[in-house]
Amino acid sequence: MKPLAILGGTFDPVHIGHLCVAWETSELLDAEVRLVPASVPPHRPPPVATVEQRVAMLRAALAGQDRLGLDLRELERVGPSYTVDTLAELRAEHDDRPLVLLVGADAFAGLTTWHRWERLFELAHLGVFARPGFQSSLPAALEAAVSGRLADTDGDWRNHPAGRVLQLDVTPLEISATRVRHLLASGRSPRYLLPDQMFDMPGLLAAYRPDPE
C-alpha cells in the first residue's frame, strides 16, 4: 500500500514551489500526495483570495497529471483548520496506511505552537523538507519528541502507520505566495513562478490584481 502524504497551506496562490516539493516527494517516497488547502489558518492572516478562487487555481495547477491530488476537507469543516483534526480524519479512513505530514524545516521548528502538536506523531509520520542543520534550532520539547524517531526514507518506516520523522531531500525553491501577490498587486506578471495553466484562464488571478480605476 502506497503511503499517503499531505501538504497543507493556504495556497494563496499555489505556486511552483508548492508543486515542485509535492511532486518530488511523491517520487521520493513512492506516495500519493494530496494538497490540502486551509479554510481558517490558525497561524497566519486569512487568505486574500476566496475559497472558490483558491480551489479554481489549485484545480488548474493540478490539471493534466495524476500524481498529485486535491483534498478539500478543511474547506468543508467549520472552525480553524487544525492539522491534527485533518490527520485524525484521515487515520480513521485509512486504517494502518502510512500517513506522512509534509512540512518545511521552519514550520517544523515551530511545531510546538501547533494545536495538540504531540498527537501528530501518533497519527502520521512527519516529512521535513531538508534544510542543513534544521535539528539544531529545535526547542527542547520538540527535540525530546523527535529523539529516536528519525528514519531514513529507504528504511522500514513504511511498515508503521505513524511516528517517524523523515528528512526529505527535495529541490528547495525560495518562492513565496507573498511575493507572487506583491507582483500581481503591482501590475507585474509572476510568469514562471506559477504553473502555465493559471495564466491560461482569464480572471483566475483577479483577486490579487489592482482594481481598475
Side-chain angles (χ1 to χ4, degrees):
M1 184 184 301
K2 284 190 175 185
L4 170 61
I6 68 166
L7 177 64
T10 54
F11 302 111
D12 186 33
V14 61
H15 54 67
I16 62 169
H18 298 130
L19 300 172
C20 179
V21 296
W23 186 274
E24 287 195 29
T25 297
S26 179
E27 292 191 317
L28 178 65
L29 301 183
D30 189 24
E32 175 189 354
V33 175
R34 297 181 190 174
L35 276 63
V36 184
S39 176
V40 184
H43 292 97
R44 62 179 64 190
V48 173
T50 66
V51 166
E52 293 76 15
Q53 288 169 325
R54 289 187 291 137
V55 170
M57 288 185 282
L58 281 160
R59 292 195 189 282
L62 296 175
Q65 55 81 43
D66 57 8
R67 183 175 286 277
L68 307 180
L70 182 59
D71 190 319
L72 302 179
R73 71 183 63 231
E74 291 189 358
L75 300 180
E76 297 163 355
R77 197 166 64 221
V78 177
S81 300
Y82 291 128
T83 300
V84 67
D85 295 335
T86 299
L87 291 178
E89 289 179 4
L90 289 168
R91 175 54 61 211
E93 295 169 9
H94 292 276
D95 298 321
D96 291 332
R97 183 181 186 182
L99 301 179
V100 184
L101 172 64
L102 304 177
V103 295
D106 292 343
F108 183 71
L111 201 68
T112 57
T113 66
W114 291 28
H115 182 60
R116 301 179 66 194
W117 69 274
E118 292 166 302
R119 179 152 165 70
L120 298 175
F121 296 101
E122 301 172 16
L123 297 168
H125 304 293
L126 271 72
V128 183
F129 298 129
R131 182 172 296 177
F134 82 92
Q135 280 185 268
S136 62
S137 59
L138 300 183
L142 184 56
E143 190 81 57
V146 170
S147 179
R149 296 185 185 275
L150 292 177
D152 190 275
T153 53
D154 295 326
D156 70 344
W157 63 273
R158 297 170 185 274
N159 298 325
H160 305 276
R164 303 292 193 269
V165 176
L166 311 172
Q167 190 167 352
L168 304 177
D169 183 15
V170 298
T171 305
L173 297 179
E174 294 298 327
I175 300 171
S176 75
T178 300
R179 176 61 178 168
V180 172
R181 293 195 302 269
H182 175 74
L183 291 171
L184 286 164
S186 301
R188 298 162 64 187
S189 173
R191 179 69 69 171
Y192 306 118
L193 299 180
L194 304 178
D196 289 342
Q197 300 95 309
M198 291 172 64
F199 294 99
D200 296 335
M201 299 176 65
L204 198 61
L205 298 171
Y208 312 110
R209 292 195 170 107
D211 293 330
E213 297 182 359

